[in-house]
Amino acid sequence: MKRPAAAHGQRKPDPVPEARIQSIGRAKALLDTMAHGGWVSLRVLATQTGLAKTTAFNLVSALVDVGLAEHDGAAGNYRLSLQHIVYGKAVERRLDVAAIARLHLMRLCVTTSETVNLAIPGPTDAVIVESLEGSQSLRVTSYSGTRASYHSTACGRALLAHQPIEFRNAIYSLGPLLPATHRTVTDPQSLEMVLQQCREIGWTTEYEENEIGGACVAAPIFGLNGEAVASVSIAGPSARFDPEAMARLGKLLVANLALVTKDLKLAAGAIPGAR
């Protein structure tokens, strides 16, 4: 997976991310340009986001006003504020599940010889935060940091199934569910049936819906309050993922992820008398 170029130097401007509110997408582009941490001039902000200088000035000034950016009045430069440390720490706490689940992920990877991924819910997609590659010569490769669509991936479905209906409807209202392949479920009502089955049996699948030749089985990890805080998927070539194999892997996931939930509760001291 290609990473974005650094914010320094001469390069073509990054496209402003699409957002339902245009100014939000433009503000994010400015924050991304300052993400390396140093001071950035207004000219660089405008050039690297492709925004008019006046637009860039107005937006970055608003970011300063709300405490998301700092302004060096003498030099006329801008940088991220320390407020982002607060947000980063909040995300870091959410990622503790990765550390707690890691040993279980390793065991699943060794047991199945397939690629094992850990995903967490994001605003519009799931995000893979841990990926252990299988030992098979023919295997599926994933990368930490990759976004996974809620509707076309098993790890996304395992998370979406346990989100409130208001959240699911919000996802559907963002626009059509785009097909990744000709097999992808793109009808919200049909997807809701898939999600209902996930809630009933504890796991879900996708077969060549996200990528031709690939298949996946996933189940959620539940947090202290019963919410789905993450999901784990087992992925491999579709030729190895017949219905019987998927059922076996689904049951294996449910059993192992129950242990992760127990470890989360132990780590939080939610189990009386536990150390």
Side-chain angles (χ1 to χ4, degrees):
M1 178 181 178
K2 293 183 179 179
R3 302 292 183 193
H8 297 288
Q10 298 296 319
R11 59 177 175 82
K12 294 181 180 179
D14 288 330
V16 174
E18 294 183 3
R20 299 184 72 181
I21 301 175
Q22 188 181 55
S23 59
I24 297 296
R26 291 176 170 180
K28 180 184 181 300
L30 293 172
L31 293 171
D32 289 346
T33 303
M34 294 184 282
H36 68 282
W39 291 101
V40 184
S41 69
L42 180 61
R43 180 184 62 80
V44 170
L45 286 172
T47 300
Q48 296 197 358
T49 59
L51 297 173
K53 198 170 182 179
T54 301
T55 302
F57 172 77
N58 289 334
L59 286 170
V60 75
S61 296
L63 291 174
V64 172
D65 290 342
V66 298
L68 294 179
E70 297 174 351
H71 180 215
D72 180 348
N77 295 331
Y78 300 84
R79 69 180 179 184
L80 296 180
S81 73
L82 296 180
Q83 178 64 29
H84 295 275
I85 294 177
V86 177
Y87 297 148
K89 288 297 182 182
V91 173
E92 187 175 86
R93 288 193 297 272
R94 189 173 68 188
L95 292 180
D96 283 347
V97 66
I100 292 172
R102 189 163 291 121
L103 180 58
H104 298 279
L105 300 181
M106 292 171 61
R107 288 172 176 163
L108 284 168
C109 188
V110 170
T111 300
T112 64
S113 300
E114 303 288 4
T115 297
V116 175
N117 302 305
L118 175 71
I120 60 173
T124 58
D125 302 287
V127 181
I128 295 176
V129 295
E130 188 88 16
S131 184
L132 304 179
E133 199 167 273
S135 59
Q136 302 267 20
S137 57
L138 181 62
R139 58 187 180 270
V140 168
T141 300
S142 297
Y143 300 97
S144 179
T146 302
R147 294 190 176 277
S149 296
Y150 277 127
H151 70 286
S152 66
T153 65
C155 59
R157 290 174 176 178
L159 289 168
L160 189 61
H162 295 277
Q163 300 303 315
I165 184 62
E166 293 81 8
F167 180 89
R168 303 202 302 274
N169 285 337
I171 294 296
Y172 304 149
S173 71
L174 292 177
L177 300 178
L178 300 178
T181 75
H182 69 281
R183 293 179 178 269
T184 309
V185 174
T186 58
D187 173 58
Q189 289 187 340
S190 299
L191 181 59
E192 279 293 312
M193 294 175 65
V194 174
L195 301 181
Q196 177 61 33
Q197 183 181 44
C198 176
R199 290 189 290 271
E200 291 174 357
I201 66 175
W203 50 275
T204 189
T205 68
E206 64 86 3
Y207 186 89
E208 296 190 337
E209 292 189 56
N210 195 57
E211 182 181 3
I212 294 297
C216 202
V217 183
I221 295 174
F222 296 105
L224 305 183
N225 299 315
E227 75 280 19
V229 296
S231 65
V232 174
S233 65
I234 299 174
S238 55
R240 288 202 294 267
F241 279 57
D242 57 32
E244 183 178 343
M246 285 186 162
R248 175 176 54 81
L249 293 174
K251 293 173 183 176
L252 180 67
L253 277 171
V254 170
N256 279 266
L257 299 189
L259 299 177
V260 178
T261 293
K262 182 178 180 180
D263 286 350
L264 286 172
K265 292 180 178 180
L266 286 169
I271 298 179
R275 291 174 179 255

